[in-house]
């Protein structure tokens, strides 16, 4: 996916489905994008740095660690996309799903499924994205949601 200065590769499948929590449910992670304003969350394109910080905190941050442990065919590690990166993909969901279908990947827009973002809402919640239709919502960090890793093109 390339739009303006933003470019990313979307994994062809989820690494965890409907059973992975975001992380510690009673801790506000410092240093990652944290906002209760959905407009600010929608502009967050800091998935790589958010993931770096979450992974450094240890295995309790299951969603970020699962994304980071995904290795793309080009050898690059994955990251947990930020809310804005997920919305960008959502704005192009028909094209993204067509590309995923060509490589025998699992389409994103075909269901009312939610994927974790690396964008934090507050101490207890983080943002999730759904692509049918494309939107952001919040979910308790202990809930199970899907994880679709992204990586960089270069």
């Amino acid at each position: 996916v390339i739009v303006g200065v933003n470019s990313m590769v979307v994994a062809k499948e989820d690494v965890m489905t409907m059973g992975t929590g975001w992380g510690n449910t009673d801790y506000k992670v410092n240093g990652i994008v944290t906002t209760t304003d959905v407009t600010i969350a929608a502009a967050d394109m800091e998935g790589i740095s958010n993931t770096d910080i979450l992974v450094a905190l240890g295995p309790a941050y299951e969603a970020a660690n699962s994304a980071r442990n995904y290795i793309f065919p080009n050898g690059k590690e994955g990251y947990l996309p930020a809310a804005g990166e997920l919305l960008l993909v959502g704005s192009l969901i028909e094209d993204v799903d067509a590309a995923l279908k060509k490589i025998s990947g699992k389409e994103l827009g075909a269901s009312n499924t939610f994927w974790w973002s690396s964008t934090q809402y507050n101490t207890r919640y983080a943002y999730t994205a759904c692509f049918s239709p494309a939107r952001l919502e919040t979910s308790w960090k202990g809930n199970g949601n899907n994880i679709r890793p992204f990586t960089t093109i270069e």
Side-chain angles (χ1 to χ4, degrees), residues 128-142:
T128 58
C130 180
F131 302 117
S132 181
R135 66 188 185 277
L136 292 177
E137 294 194 12
T138 60
S139 183
W140 179 61
K141 292 176 180 178

Side-chain angles (χ1 to χ4, degrees), residues 6-29:
N6 300 300
S7 61
M8 63 210 69
V9 176
V10 179
K12 72 180 215 175
E13 68 270 333
D14 297 333
V15 291
M16 298 292 242
T17 56
M18 297 307 294
T20 306
W22 190 87
N24 189 331
T25 60
D26 292 316
Y27 182 72
K28 182 179 172 191
V29 177

Side-chain angles (χ1 to χ4, degrees), residues 8-70:
M8 63 210 69
V9 176
V10 179
K12 72 180 215 175
E13 68 270 333
D14 297 333
V15 291
M16 298 292 242
T17 56
M18 297 307 294
T20 306
W22 190 87
N24 189 331
T25 60
D26 292 316
Y27 182 72
K28 182 179 172 191
V29 177
N30 292 319
I32 67 170
V33 176
T34 302
T35 181
T36 58
D37 184 334
V38 73
T39 304
I40 294 170
D44 179 16
M45 305 299 275
E46 300 298 326
I48 294 170
S49 61
N50 289 346
T51 300
D52 289 343
I53 291 166
L54 292 167
V55 167
L57 291 172
Y61 293 89
E62 199 175 357
N65 278 284
S66 294
R68 175 56 47 84
N69 290 333
Y70 182 87

Side-chain angles (χ1 to χ4, degrees), residues 1-4 6 8 10 42 45 83-97 108-109 129-136 150:
V1 177
I2 301 174
V3 177
N6 300 300
M8 63 210 69
V10 179
M45 305 299 275
E85 292 169 315
L86 287 165
L87 273 186
L88 179 61
V89 166
S91 72
L92 303 165
I93 199 62
E94 290 178 12
D95 294 330
V96 171
D97 277 352
L108 293 165
C130 180
F131 302 117
S132 181
R135 66 188 185 277
L136 292 177
F150 287 12

Side-chain angles (χ1 to χ4, degrees), residues 7 9 19 28 44-45 56 59 71-72 77-78 88 98 105 120 123 125 135 139 146 151 154:
S7 61
V9 176
K28 182 179 172 191
D44 179 16
M45 305 299 275
I71 305 298
F72 282 79
E77 294 178 322
L88 179 61
Q120 185 173 231
T123 300
Y125 292 85
R135 66 188 185 277
S139 183
N146 290 353
T151 197
E154 64 281 325

